[in-house]
Amino acid sequence: MTPQTTRTRFLLLVLDPDTSTANALAEQLQERQIDVVVTGDPADALLQAGALLPDAVLTATDVPPMRGSTIARALHTRACIPTLVGVGEHDGMEGSLALAAGATACVARPYRVTEILPMLRAISPDTAADFQVAVEVGTLRLDPARTRCGWPAGASNCRCGSSSCCTCSCCTPAGSSPDTRSTGCSGAAKGTRPTA
């Protein structure tokens, strides 16, 4: 990652001991053009925060051996990094302590993307202004986060039913040479599939 001043996409560091929950959130956020780094270790998270200078950090209230309030205090006093704290059903007191320690806000845990996105926009409008999700039309996927389009794995990308880039007559107009415009190769070598 590049320093915060030259980054064009929002970078969120997620610290959660339940990495499966964090990875599921990361996948949803990445579909909306947000770069996400996930860790379950608070020491690693603090090192990552210092090295990457993320736009924000999302931490759970309990990240053994530390607490979310301790993480929020460290990020607020040492690096001025906005911190969201994921608060579960019985974490109200720890959420209050995190806010008092310098956390920007508390969010529900398990996480809800619809709750987190407006907060990320408020934190960094320059890099979070337009979180667009990928659009699928039939088997075609248009992904603004990856600035490419392609077919999902296993889908046919040709009217003739070919599962790889082809140069059949239905894909290549008569008198023209096959290229990425007529085959959907996205610049890939012949015989390979575009990546979605």
Side-chain angles (χ1 to χ4, degrees):
M1 289 288 146
T2 57
Q4 184 177 9
T5 55
T6 60
R7 191 173 27 247
T8 58
R9 288 173 42 142
F10 196 97
L11 175 61
L12 178 67
L13 175 61
V14 178
L15 168 60
D16 197 304
D18 182 358
T19 54
S20 62
T21 298
N23 286 327
L25 174 67
E27 188 175 304
Q28 293 175 16
L29 292 173
Q30 288 166 342
E31 288 178 357
R32 290 169 174 84
Q33 301 183 31
I34 299 170
D35 293 325
V36 182
V37 175
V38 174
T39 184
D41 178 18
D44 182 53
L46 292 172
L47 287 171
Q48 294 274 4
L52 300 175
L53 294 175
D55 293 295
V57 172
L58 171 62
T59 182
T61 55
D62 186 24
V63 284
M66 299 178 82
R67 306 293 296 164
S69 57
T70 306
I71 299 290
R73 180 180 299 108
L75 294 173
H76 177 72
T77 59
R78 302 283 184 198
C80 294
I81 296 174
T83 305
L84 305 176
V85 179
V87 179
E89 186 177 341
H90 303 290
D91 295 332
M93 179 57 81
E94 185 59 31
S96 297
L97 292 172
L99 289 170
T104 305
C106 290
V107 297
R109 184 173 179 266
Y111 306 114
R112 295 186 298 251
V113 172
T114 56
E115 180 183 2
I116 294 172
L117 287 177
M119 292 184 189
L120 300 183
R121 281 188 189 100
I123 288 170
S124 183
D126 293 339
T127 57
D130 196 14
F131 296 138
Q132 296 177 2
V133 69
V135 175
E136 291 189 24
V137 180
T139 60
L140 180 65
R141 180 179 171 90
L142 305 170
D143 189 349
R146 295 190 176 112
T147 60
R148 69 171 76 157
C149 67
W151 288 265
S156 173
N157 64 347
C158 175
R159 291 180 293 216
C160 70
S162 171
S163 62
S164 62
C165 295
C166 69
T167 57
C168 68
S169 61
C170 67
C171 292
T172 309
S176 67
S177 62
D179 65 9
T180 59
R181 287 183 304 268
S182 61
T183 64
C185 294
S186 300
K190 296 289 180 223
T192 62
R193 295 193 38 82
T195 57

